[in-house]
Amino acid sequence: MSFSAIFAILISVIFVNNFVFARFLGLCPYLGVSKDTSSAIGMGMAVIFVMTMASIVTWPLYRYFLSPFGLERVLRTTSFILVIASLVQFIEMLLQKVNPALYKALGIYLPIITTNCAILGVAVLNIDTFFKDGNPLPGSYLGSIVQAFGAGLGFTLAMVLMSSVRERMEMANIPRSLQGVPIAFVTAGLMSMGFLGFSGLVK
Amino acid sequence: MKKRGDSAYNMIVVLALICAAAGLALGATYRATRGRIETQQLRERMAALRIVLPEAHKDGFREMSTPKSAFAAESRYYEAYDKALGDASGELVGYALEAEGDGYSSKIRVTVGVDPKGEVIRGIKITFQQETPGLGANCEAIEAEGTLWDAIAEGTLWNAFLRKGKEKTSEPRFQAQFRGKMFDSFVKVGNKYMNIDGLTGATITTNAVADAAVGAVEEFTKRILKYSDGT
Amino acid sequence: MSKWQIFKSGLFKNNPVFILYLGLCPVLATSTSIRDGFGMGVAATFVLLGSNVIVSAMRGVIPRKVRIPCFIVVIATFVTLVELFLAAYQPELSKSLGLFVPLIVVNCIILYRAESFASKNTVFSSFLDALGMGCGFTLALLLLAFIREGLGKGTLLGYELIPGFEPAVIMILPPGAFLTIGLLMGFFNWRKNRGKALKCD
């Protein structure tokens, strides 16, 4: 897989098909944790990490276990979500032992990541984009990891943008009914309009 | 929750039992639905073939595959005859090819029908796309047939909800315009096919469909038609 | 709480989408047309019913420490059933919902109801709760889809709504989804707050 292909995947998944603004994935943590910038960055890092790890694990699982035995229809969803859940648990324990500083930074975000649809979303999306009739396309393993990493970056970008706007909004005079999540959605709508401008950047 | 439920032995047994029950349920449902899913896929493929080559007989499609080469993977295509396959008097009316292209946010799969010489595109049918609704997804948009109020008055609203009968009567405008176009007329000037009305705001989807169709015909002519001497 | 109240609470008072802010991803993603929205609503309701009933039937058996993995296995099983049924009987819908069918697994509503309601209540109450929540979810989807399809395509179920209306494509595009749901949530908050203010007087 050439460098330009990798670059194209990254640009596409960060800007053009941003997980939050174009694909509507991971909205719950996006709104829940974007109240201040530092926690937005923490959550974003945790998502990048888990997404990349998840696709490192789910690709071989699909390629060598599900697809050869014809189980891709029956067990894809179940096995992916279980793998992701155990992976998150495992990462949490590992971080606690190996790198307590990092654990302090990311730890509180890890448990809620299991039910973040962006993680399962990227795992399923990788299978959709990089497999044809159950066979991997050339460069698909690297491609799927790059796509997952980029998706995490795009998510972090969206989180950080949103959190900096929301920090300012704390001070603003907003109608009572729109305070909190509703105004955050309206803001996200305006941002997503901005992101529409990236369409056509990469084919 | 009962107290005794928290011993390690209990946890493992319960988890294992739940997984086993889940496995059984899934296995049984899969067995029950597998045949149906395959039939649906086959039916969908046949419907696409009939749309791109309407003049062929409904049992007149023979599945073929291009030989594997160092440059390209095996791919599937169909010979289409105007009589059922068993009938020796059937004449070849065209080929149907399956192609795939990268759209804006998804893969796009297209079935293309060409005449026996590979000169005229008989029709195309998009069999899979998940493009942006409102823009790229309009490649499958059908013109509205009258207003909602008429539909309520005529009592056809429920059918529309189940999507009955609609696809059969009308072809998406974007796909219809490929019908009967000479293959030579597909010339790209800059980033645009001059003979195709693009989808508003979705150049990438437009080009992905056209590129896939044109590429498939070109490849097919180069690899198959050249070597077969005018069947 | 009477049985009727259990059912009704999910519809309006505790509407999962507009009041509890749960399961928003599929709501925004599949509300581009009434058909897709309805399909997603029914699929999620089915999973919710299945998981609530099974979880409450097993509420004395599941050990506390492994309850979340157990819930996830149950939910994932029902989601796979939905995937299979859709592929077999509604292939069109299965294609247009795409990624969001497997993603029902991580729909927060389902896990939330299993954890906070079904694991503490009887089977019948859990069934009603799931039905109410599922209907509330479907209603929210339909409302959003009605607005977005109506304004963005000018159609409803493929029929023209107002002849000669020039649709605003932005409503079908992602920004339209965010704006619509933000304003709808604002509207529901306004209704809720207004009621409260009246009670205080």
Side-chain angles (χ1 to χ4, degrees), chain A residues 126-140:
Chain A
N126 279 336
I127 305 301
D128 283 352
T129 18
F130 294 111
F131 281 83
K132 195 189 174 198
D133 301 329
N135 297 314
L137 300 168
S140 87

Side-chain angles (χ1 to χ4, degrees), chain A residues 9-200:
Chain A
I9 294 179
L10 275 179
I11 293 293
S12 154
V13 84
I14 295 176
F15 295 110
V16 184
N17 289 311
N18 184 289
F19 259 42
V20 174
F21 293 132
R23 288 196 197 271
F24 305 116
L25 290 170
L27 290 178
C28 298
Y30 175 65
L31 292 165
V33 198
S34 63
K35 285 192 190 101
D36 64 285
T37 311
S38 64
S39 54
I41 291 176
M43 182 73 186
M45 293 301 146
V47 166
I48 295 180
F49 190 56
V50 176
M51 265 188 182
T52 317
M53 291 302 287
S55 57
I56 288 177
V57 178
T58 50
W59 191 93
L61 177 75
Y62 187 84
R63 171 75 180 82
Y64 297 107
F65 289 99
L66 297 182
S67 169
F69 296 109
L71 293 171
E72 65 265 39
R73 248 179 213 291
V74 202
L75 281 185
R76 188 182 66 176
T77 312
T78 319
S79 61
F80 278 17
I81 187 71
L82 286 179
V83 161
I84 290 169
S86 358
L87 187 75
V88 171
Q89 200 85 50
F90 179 71
I91 291 173
E92 202 181 340
M93 291 194 296
L94 197 74
L95 273 187
Q96 210 169 0
K97 288 255 157 59
V98 180
N99 195 339
L102 195 62
Y103 176 75
K104 252 190 186 158
L106 303 185
I108 48 167
Y109 305 110
L110 283 174
I112 31 177
I113 276 186
T114 314
T115 51
N116 181 345
C117 54
I119 311 282
L120 184 61
V122 83
V124 177
L125 195 70
N126 279 336
I127 305 301
D128 283 352
T129 18
F130 294 111
F131 281 83
K132 195 189 174 198
D133 301 329
N135 297 314
L137 300 168
S140 87
Y141 192 34
L142 182 61
S144 69
I145 295 172
V146 170
Q147 175 157 287
F149 181 71
L153 277 182
F155 183 79
T156 312
L157 176 69
M159 289 276 284
V160 171
L161 285 178
M162 182 52 128
S163 65
S164 29
V165 175
R166 277 180 91 172
E167 276 179 359
R168 300 290 295 266
M169 269 191 316
E170 292 289 306
M171 258 72 92
N173 188 9
I174 296 162
R176 193 164 67 123
S177 318
L178 284 177
Q179 275 167 15
V181 173
I183 195 72
F185 264 120
V186 175
T187 316
L190 297 178
M191 281 184 187
S192 144
M193 250 182 239
F195 270 72
L196 275 186
F198 289 116
S199 52

Side-chain angles (χ1 to χ4, degrees), chain A residues 177-178 182-183 185-186, chain C residues 18 177-189:
Chain A
S177 318
L178 284 177
I183 195 72
F185 264 120
V186 175
Chain C
F18 293 126
F178 285 114
L179 292 177
T180 315
I181 197 161
L183 294 176
L184 279 176
M185 282 172 170
F187 172 73
F188 279 89
N189 272 345

